C-alpha cells in the first residue's frame, strides 16, 4: 500500500511503457491486443492514482506539498539544477485521478468507436503517449519539467488531431493547433527564463539566511511559491511581466482569446480524442499552470487582473458563438472554451487572502472533466450512429438511442448548472467567489454566460434527440455497443455525484506558513437563486425555440437579426483575420523575402563557389592540349623558375 | 676560360631546347635531343679538365652518357617506326589523343 | 684561337640543325656538330673520348638517325613547318632558360679567371683501370650495368620494331 507513496513514478511509467511496447511490438502484429494492453495499462494507472489520492487525502498531511521521488537531470550551476520528479500535493493528486479516469474511460470507449478504422492500433499508441505526457505535466515539481511535458502534450495533440491524415482539413487543423500553441509557448519560455534569472539572483541573496531556500533550485515550484521569495521577486519589478509571459503560454494551451482559434478546428480529430484532450485534460493544463503558480500570481495583482479579464471575455465570447453553430462537436468545443474561461476568471478573482476562487476553479475543472467528456462521448455515439456531425441532419434519436439520450440529458443538465448535479455546485462556487470578492462585473458576466450555456446546450439536445428524424440515416440509427455505453454510464454517475464531494476541505492553495482554512462555506443564496434562475431561463427559451414541431419561430428570429447572426456564426471572422494576417502579412512580407534570400543569396553563394570552381578548372584544362611540345614549354619554363628560386636562396 | 666553355655548352643546350619545342617531325625531335645530350657531355669534360685535372671521372661519365644516348636513340627509333606503321606519319602535332 | 673558330662553326651548324626544314639535312648538320665536338675534346686533352665520340656518335647514332629518316619518310612531312606560334613560344622558352642560367653562371663563383691547367693526367690506361677497379672510386658496377642495358635495348629494339604477324 505504502509502496505507491514511495515509488509513485509507476503511475506515469505504465502508460509510457505501454506506449513503447504497444507501438513498436504489438501494434504491427495484432491491433486488437494492442488496444487491450493499452487500456489495461491506463486502467492500472487509474487504480494506482486512486490509491495514491486516497492515501494522500486520508494521510497525516493532506495539505502539504511533498516530493516523494526525484532525480537530477541537468546540472548547470549549483543553484540551477533541473530535476525530474514527482510532486504530490492536493491539486496534483486530484489531477492524477481526473486524467487517469477519463483516459481509461476514453480508451474503453475507443475500443468500440474506432473499431473498423485502419489506424486502430496507432490510435491507442498515441492515446498512451498522451496519457503519459499529461501525467508527467501534472506531477512536475519544477516549471522546466512542466515545459518539457507541455511540449510533449502538444505533440500528442498534434498527432491525434491529425489522426485522419488523409483529410486535408485534419492536417490543417493539427498544424494550426500546434503552431498556435507553439507560438504561445514562446512567451512561456521567455517567462520561464526570466523567472529563472530573477529567481537565481533572489536565491543567491536569500540562500545564506534560509536553509530551506538554499536547498531549492530557482525553477522549483516550491521556490517560486515561497512567500519570502515572492516578496523579493516582486521587488525587482519584473515579476508581473514574467507572470504575464507565462500566462501567454497558459492562454495558448487553454485556448483563451485571442489564441482560441485552434480549439474549434481541433474537432477534426476523432471524437474520443476531443473528449480526452480537448475537454477534460490537455486544455486544462493552462488552468493547472496558473493554479500551480497561484501564490506568485497573487503577489502580482496586475497579472491576476489580466488572467481574470481574459478569462471572462473568452467565456462570454465563446458562449455567444456557440449559440449559432450547427456542428455538434463545434458547439461542444465552444462550450469548452466558455467553461475554461470560467475556470480562468475564477482563479483571477481570487488571491491568497480570499482563496475561494482557487478552490472553485479546481472544483469546476474536476466536474467539467466528467460531464464534458460525457457530452463528447455521447456526441460520438450519435455521430457513430448517423454518420454526420450536423445537428440539422439529426432528430428523433430519443427513441432510437435511449441510453445515450439519458446520459446526454444528464450531462446537459449538469453543465447548465441544475441542482443536484455536479455543475451546479462548481459553477455556483465560482459565482460566489466573484461576488464575495467584489468583482461585480465578473459576477454579472458569469451569470449571463450561465444562461447562455443552458440555452445552447439545450438547443443541441433538442435538435438531436427530439422531434422527427430529418434524414434517412436517423431512421436506421441504433444504440451504441456496450463497450461504448459503459463509459457513458460511469461518467453520468460521476456527473451526478461529483458535486457532493466536499472539495474545499481538501483543495486550497498551499501557503508555507500554516494558515488554517476556514472550512466549507455555506451556500450563498443570492448566487444559488440567480444562478438557477438563469439556467431555467436558458432552458425554457431553448425549449420554446427548438423543441417544437417546426422551426418557424427560430427562422423568424434569425431573419430578424440576419446580419448579426451571420457575423456570430462566422465566429466574428477571427479565423479569416488570422488567415489574412498570416498569408498576406507574415508570408508575403516576412517569410517571402526571407525565403527569397535563402534561395538566392545563401544557396546562390554556395552554387557560386561550385560554379567558380568548375569554370576555373575548365580554364585550367586548356593547358592540356595533348601535345608533347606544349608540355615541354611548360616544363622548361618551370625549370627556369625553379632555377631562379634556387639562385635566390643562395644569394 | 672556364666560363666561356660553360657558356658555349649552355648555348648548345638551349639550341637543343629550341629544337625540341619546335620540330614537327619526331625524328627532328630526337636529333635535337641528341644535341642536348652532346652539350651535357661536353660540360662534364670541361669541368673535369678545369677543376679536377688529376682525375678522369668526368670523362668516364661522358662515356656513359654517350652509351646511354645510343641506347635511347635506338629505342626511340624503334617506337617511331611502329608509330609510322600505324599512322603513316610521324607528325607530333597529330599525337594529341590525351587532350582534355 | 682554335677554340673561337671551332665555337663559331659549331654554333652555326647547331643553328642549322634546329632551323632547317629538311630532316635529312638536319641529320647531316648534327653529324657535323658531333664531329666538331670531338675536336673540342681534343682541345681539352681527352683523346680517347674524342675517338669514342667519333666512333659511337657519328658512326653509330647519326647512321641510325639517317635510317630512321629514310624509314619514316612521308609525303606530308617533307618540309617541317612549325607554326608561328610554336616558333615564338619555343624561342621565348629557350631564351628564358638561357638567360636565367647564363645570368646565374655569370654571377657565380665560376666567373673567375680560371685557366686551363696545363698538366692533365689523362690517358686511356687510367680510364681502363678506373672502369674495372673495385675500389671506392671505381666504376665497375656502372660498367657492367650499362652493358646489360645495351643488351636489353638491343633486344627490345628488335622486338619493338619487328613486323607484326599478319
Amino acid at each position: 500500500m505504502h509502496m505507491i507513496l514511495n515509488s509513485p513514478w509507476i503511475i506515469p511509467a505504465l502508460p509510457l511503457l505501454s506506449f513503447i511496447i504497444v507501438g513498436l511490438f504489438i501494434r504491427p502484429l495484432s491491433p486488437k491486443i494492442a488496444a487491450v494492453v493499452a487500456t489495461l495499462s491506463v486502467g492500472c494507472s487509474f487504480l494506482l492514482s486512486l490509491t495514491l489520492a486516497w492515501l494522500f487525502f486520508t494521510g497525516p498531511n493532506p495539505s502539504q506539498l511533498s516530493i516523494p521521488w526525484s532525480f537530477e537531470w541537468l546540472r548547470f550551476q549549483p543553484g540551477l539544477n533541473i530535476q525530474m520528479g514527482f510532486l504530490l500535493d492536493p491539486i496534483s493528486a486530484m489531477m492524477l485521478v481526473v486524467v487517469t479516469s477519463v483516459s481509461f474511460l476514453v480508451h474503453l470507449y475507443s475500443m468500440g468507436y474506432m473499431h473498423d478504422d485502419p489506424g486502430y492500433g496507432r490510435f491507442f499508441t498515441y492515446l498512451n503517449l498522451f496519457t503519459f505526457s499529461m501525467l508527467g505535466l501534472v506531477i512536475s515539481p519544477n516549471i522546466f519539467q512542466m515545459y518539457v511535458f507541455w511540449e510533449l502534450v502538444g505533440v500528442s495533440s498534434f498527432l491525434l488531431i491529425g489522426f485522419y491524415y488523409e483529410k486535408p482539413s485534419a492536417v490543417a487543423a493539427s498544424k494550426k493547433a500546434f503552431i498556435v500553441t507553439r507560438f504561445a509557448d514562446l512567451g512561456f519560455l521567455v517567462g520561464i527564463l526570466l523567472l529563472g534569472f530573477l529567481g537565481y539572483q533572489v536565491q543567491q541573496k536569500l540562500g545564506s539566511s534560509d536553509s530551506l531556500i538554499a536547498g531549492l533550485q530557482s525553477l522549483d515550484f516550491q521556490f517560486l511559491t515561497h512567500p519570502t521569495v515572492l516578496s523579493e521577486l516582486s521587488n525587482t519589478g519584473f515579476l508581473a511581466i514574467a507572470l504575464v509571459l507565462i500566462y501567454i503560454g497558459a492562454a495558448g494551451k487553454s485556448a483563451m482569446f485571442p489564441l482560441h482559434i485552434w480549439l474549434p478546428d481541433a474537432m477534426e480529430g476523432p471524437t474520443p480524442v476531443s473528449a480526452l484532450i480537448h475537454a477534460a485534460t490537455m486544455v486544462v493544463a493552462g488552468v493547472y499552470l496558473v493554479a500551480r503558480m497561484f501564490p506568485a500570481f497573487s503577489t502580482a495583482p496586475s497579472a491576476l487582473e489580466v488572467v481574470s479579464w481574459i478569462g471572462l471575455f473568452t467565456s462570454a465570447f465563446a458562449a455567444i458563438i456557440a449559440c449559432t453553430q450547427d456542428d455538434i462537436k463545434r458547439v461542444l468545443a465552444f462550450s469548452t472554451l466558455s467553461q475554461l474561461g470560467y475556470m480562468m476568471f475564477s482563479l483571477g478573482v481570487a488571491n491568497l487572502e480570499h482563496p475561494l476562487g482557487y478552490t472553485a476553479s479546481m472544483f469546476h475543472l474536476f466536474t467539467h472533466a466528467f460531464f464534458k467528456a460525457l457530452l463528447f462521448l455521447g456526441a460520438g455515439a450519435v455521430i457513430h450512429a448517423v454518420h454526420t456531425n450536423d445537428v440539422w441532419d439529426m432528430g428523433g434519436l430519443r427513441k432510437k438511442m435511449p441510453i445515450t439520450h439519458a446520459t446526454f440529458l444528464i450531462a446537459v443538465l449538469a453543465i447548465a448548472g441544475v441542482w443536484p448535479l455536479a455543475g451546479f455546485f462548481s459553477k455556483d462556487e465560482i459565482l460566489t467567489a466573484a461576488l464575495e470578492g467584489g468583482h461585480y462585473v465578473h459576477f454579472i458576466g458569469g451569470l449571463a454566460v450561465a444562461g447562455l450555456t443552458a440555452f445552447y446546450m439545450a438547443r443541441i439536445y433538442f435538435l438531436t434527440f427530439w422531434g422527427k428524424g430529418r434524414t434517412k440515416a436517423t431512421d436506421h440509427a441504433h444504440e451504441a455497443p456496450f463497450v461504448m455505453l459503459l463509459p457513458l454510464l460511469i461518467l453520468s454517475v460521476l456527473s451526478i455525484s461529483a458535486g457532493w464531494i466536499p472539495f474545499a476541505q481538501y483543495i486550497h492553495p498551499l501557503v508555507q506558513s500554516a494558515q488554517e482554512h476556514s472550512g466549507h462555506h455555506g451556500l450563498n443564496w443570492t448566487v444559488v437563486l440567480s444562478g438557477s434562475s438563469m439556467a431555467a431561463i436558458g432552458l425554457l427559451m431553448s425549449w420554446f425555440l427548438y423543441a417544437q414541431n417546426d422551426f418557424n419561430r427560430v427562422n423568424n428570429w434569425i431573419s430578424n437579426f440576419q446580419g448579426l447572426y451571420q457575423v456570430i456564426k462566422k465566429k466574428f471572422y477571427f479565423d479569416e483575420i488570422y488567415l489574412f494576417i498570416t498569408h498576406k502579412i507574415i508570408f508575403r512580407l516576412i517569410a517571402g523575402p526571407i525565403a527569397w534570400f535563402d534561395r538566392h543569396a545563401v544557396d546562390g553563394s554556395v552554387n557560386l563557389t561550385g560554379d567558380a570552381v568548375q569554370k576555373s578548372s575548365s580554364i585550367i584544362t586548356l593547358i592540356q592540349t595533348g601535345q608533347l611540345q606544349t608540355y615541354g614549354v611548360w616544363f622548361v619554363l618551370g625549370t627556369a623558375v625553379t632555377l631562379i628560386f634556387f639562385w635566390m636562396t643562395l644569394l | 676560360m672556364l666560363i666561356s666553355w660553360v657558356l658555349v655548352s649552355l648555348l648548345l643546350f638551349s639550341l637543343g631546347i629550341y629544337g625540341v619545342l619546335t620540330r614537327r617531325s619526331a625524328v627532328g625531335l630526337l636529333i635535337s635531343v641528341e644535341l642536348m645530350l652532346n652539350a651535357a657531355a661536353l660540360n662534364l669534360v670541361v669541368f673535369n679538365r678545369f677543376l679536377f685535372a688529376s682525375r678522369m671521372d668526368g670523362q668516364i661519365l661522358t662515356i656513359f652518357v654517350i652509351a646511354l644516348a645510343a641506347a635511347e636513340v635506338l629505342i626511340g627509333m624503334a617506337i617511331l617506326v611502329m608509330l609510322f606503321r600505324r599512322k603513316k606519319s610521324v607528325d607530333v602535332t597529330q599525337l594529341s589523343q590525351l587532350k582534355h | 684561337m682554335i677554340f673561337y673558330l671551332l665555337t663559331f662553326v659549331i654554333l652555326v651548324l647547331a643553328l642549322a640543325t634546329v632551323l632547317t626544314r629538311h630532316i635529312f639535312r638536319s641529320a647531316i648538320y648534327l653529324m657535323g656538330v658531333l664531329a666538331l665536338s670531338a675536336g673540342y675534346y681534343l682541345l681539352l686533352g681527352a683523346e680517347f673520348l674524342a675517338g669514342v665520340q667519333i666512333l659511337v656518335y657519328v658512326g653509330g647514332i647519326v647512321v641510325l638517325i639517317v635510317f630512321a629518316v629514310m624509314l619514316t619518310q612521308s609525303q606530308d612531312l617533307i618540309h617541317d613547318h612549325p607554326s608561328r606560334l610554336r616558333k615564338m613560344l619555343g624561342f621565348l622558352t629557350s631564351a628564358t632558360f638561357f638567360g636565367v642560367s647564363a645570368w646565374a653562371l655569370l654571377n657565380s663563383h665560376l666567373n673567375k679567371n680560371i685557366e686551363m691547367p696545363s698538366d692533365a693526367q689523362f690517358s686511356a690506361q687510367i680510364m681502363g683501370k678506373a672502369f674495372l677497379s673495385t675500389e671506392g672510386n671505381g666504376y665497375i658496377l656502372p660498367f657492367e650495368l650499362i652493358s646489360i642495358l645495351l643488351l636489353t635495348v638491343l633486344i627490345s629494339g628488335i622486338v619493338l620494331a619487328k613486323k607484326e604477324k599478319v
Side-chain angles (χ1 to χ4, degrees), chain A residues 40-90:
Chain A
L40 275 178
S41 75
V42 178
C44 288
S45 271
F46 168 56
L47 291 172
L48 289 172
S49 307
L50 268 182
T51 319
L52 183 63
W54 176 262
L55 285 174
F56 178 71
F57 283 118
T58 57
N61 301 317
S63 45
Q64 287 304 319
L65 183 153
S66 70
I67 300 187
W69 177 77
S70 75
F71 67 91
E72 196 175 332
W73 179 42
L74 294 173
R75 183 195 293 226
F76 292 119
Q77 275 173 309
L80 200 57
N81 293 350
I82 312 285
Q83 288 165 324
M84 283 278 167
F86 192 109
L87 181 145
L88 191 58
D89 84 338

Side-chain angles (χ1 to χ4, degrees), chain A residues 627 629-630 632-634 636-637 639-641 643-644 647, chain C residues 86 89-90 92-94 96-97 100-101 103-104 107-108:
Chain A
Q627 290 186 4
Q629 283 159 331
T630 316
V633 168
W634 288 112
V636 176
L637 283 176
T639 317
V641 171
L643 277 174
I644 296 179
W647 182 29
Chain C
R86 199 172 282 268
L89 270 178
L92 270 169
T93 315
S94 53
T96 312
F97 178 77
V100 169
S101 304
W103 188 264
N107 288 339
S108 74

Side-chain angles (χ1 to χ4, degrees), chain A residues 171-456:
Chain A
V171 169
S174 65
K175 258 197 307 186
K176 189 175 188 177
F178 196 65
I179 291 175
V180 171
T181 48
R182 198 75 189 88
F183 174 70
D185 291 344
L186 180 65
F188 190 14
L189 185 62
V190 175
I192 292 180
L193 294 173
L194 189 54
L195 262 188
F197 175 68
L198 294 171
Y200 183 69
Q201 289 178 331
V202 168
Q203 201 215 13
Q204 296 301 88
K205 190 170 147 195
L206 290 179
S208 49
S209 51
D210 189 329
S211 62
L212 175 65
I213 294 182
L216 293 173
Q217 306 301 323
S218 62
L219 287 177
D220 280 350
F221 282 125
Q222 269 181 304
F223 180 79
L224 289 171
T225 53
H226 195 277
T228 331
V229 170
L230 283 173
S231 59
E232 279 297 329
L233 277 176
S234 66
N235 283 345
T236 64
F238 285 104
L239 181 63
I241 299 176
L243 285 176
V244 168
L245 282 170
I246 290 183
Y247 180 66
I248 292 178
K253 197 64 112 192
S254 290
M256 296 286 116
F257 180 86
L259 296 167
H260 63 283
I261 46 171
W262 66 271
L263 193 52
D265 285 3
M267 298 297 120
E268 294 286 339
T271 311
V273 167
S274 307
L276 177 62
I277 298 186
H278 306 123
T281 40
M282 183 179 106
V283 291
V284 301
V287 181
Y288 183 70
L289 174 62
V290 177
R292 261 273 164 259
M293 299 284 291
F294 186 69
F297 274 95
S298 183
T299 326
S302 44
L304 220 48
E305 288 282 313
V306 171
V307 171
S308 71
W309 284 105
I310 291 185
L312 181 64
F313 183 77
T314 310
S315 186
F317 178 76
I320 296 174
I321 297 182
C323 297
T324 62
Q325 297 297 307
D326 293 329
D327 180 338
I328 191 172
K329 284 179 69 175
R330 293 257 178 328
V331 173
L332 292 176
F334 281 104
S335 157
T336 309
L337 276 177
S338 184
Q339 302 303 310
L340 284 171
Y342 261 121
M343 293 180 221
M344 275 295 187
F345 92 68
S346 170
L347 278 173
V349 302
N351 56 39
L352 280 176
E353 283 87 43
H354 305 285
L356 181 61
Y358 177 93
T359 313
S361 173
M362 291 292 106
F363 193 22
H364 197 60
L365 197 159
F366 184 70
T367 56
H368 172 263
F370 297 131
F371 55 67
K372 192 44 71 60
L374 177 56
L375 281 170
F376 267 108
L377 294 182
V382 166
I383 295 172
H384 189 74
V386 300
H387 303 293
T388 173
N389 284 12
D390 194 332
V391 167
W392 294 100
D393 288 339
M394 302 177 193
L397 291 173
R398 202 166 28 150
K399 302 181 180 65
K400 300 270 168 45
M401 307 175 68
I403 301 184
T404 313
H405 165 247
T407 54
F408 199 86
L409 179 59
I410 292 176
V412 167
L413 292 175
I415 199 174
V418 172
W419 188 90
L421 301 172
F424 167 75
F425 293 100
S426 55
K427 203 175 285 200
D428 273 11
E429 275 215 27
I430 294 180
L431 294 172
T432 314
L435 185 61
E436 287 183 1
H439 296 87
Y440 296 114
V441 179
H442 290 82
F443 176 67
I444 304 286
L447 271 184
V449 173
L452 280 174
T453 310
F455 173 71
Y456 64 69

